[in-house]
Amino acid sequence: RDFILKRDSQGYFKVFTQLNQKDVEVNRIFIQLDGGTFWFPKISRVELHTKDPLTNKEIVEIITP
């Protein structure tokens, strides 16, 4: 997944990514680690908290690798 830093409609820099062929604003990313080592952690869950800039609807995508 690509994350892009660009200006929003008000001129502030925000991080955006693609979700269902639409640009959404990234608010926060939560990564849950369950064991592993420092260099090779075991990732059990990733939560991507985003917002649609057109509708201001909050979207939470849960990714399980």
Side-chain angles (χ1 to χ4, degrees):
R1 178 159 308 199
D2 294 328
F3 295 94
I4 301 167
L5 178 67
K6 63 182 182 178
R7 290 183 191 257
D8 65 359
S9 61
Q10 298 173 341
Y12 295 106
F13 283 101
K14 303 280 177 118
V15 176
F16 290 87
T17 191
Q18 288 276 330
L19 184 63
N20 299 328
Q21 289 78 33
K22 291 189 338 185
D23 281 343
V24 292
E25 178 185 327
V26 177
N27 292 331
R28 131 181 91 187
I29 300 173
F30 173 76
I31 301 172
Q32 183 173 351
L33 303 175
D34 289 329
T37 65
F38 178 78
W39 295 110
F40 300 102
K42 183 178 176 187
I43 299 173
S44 62
R45 176 183 173 131
V46 177
E47 289 183 14
L48 188 61
H49 296 260
T50 60
K51 180 175 76 169
D52 186 350
L54 299 176
T55 62
N56 285 332
K57 181 180 176 187
E58 298 286 330
I59 305 165
V60 178
E61 180 182 1
I62 298 174
I63 304 165
T64 53

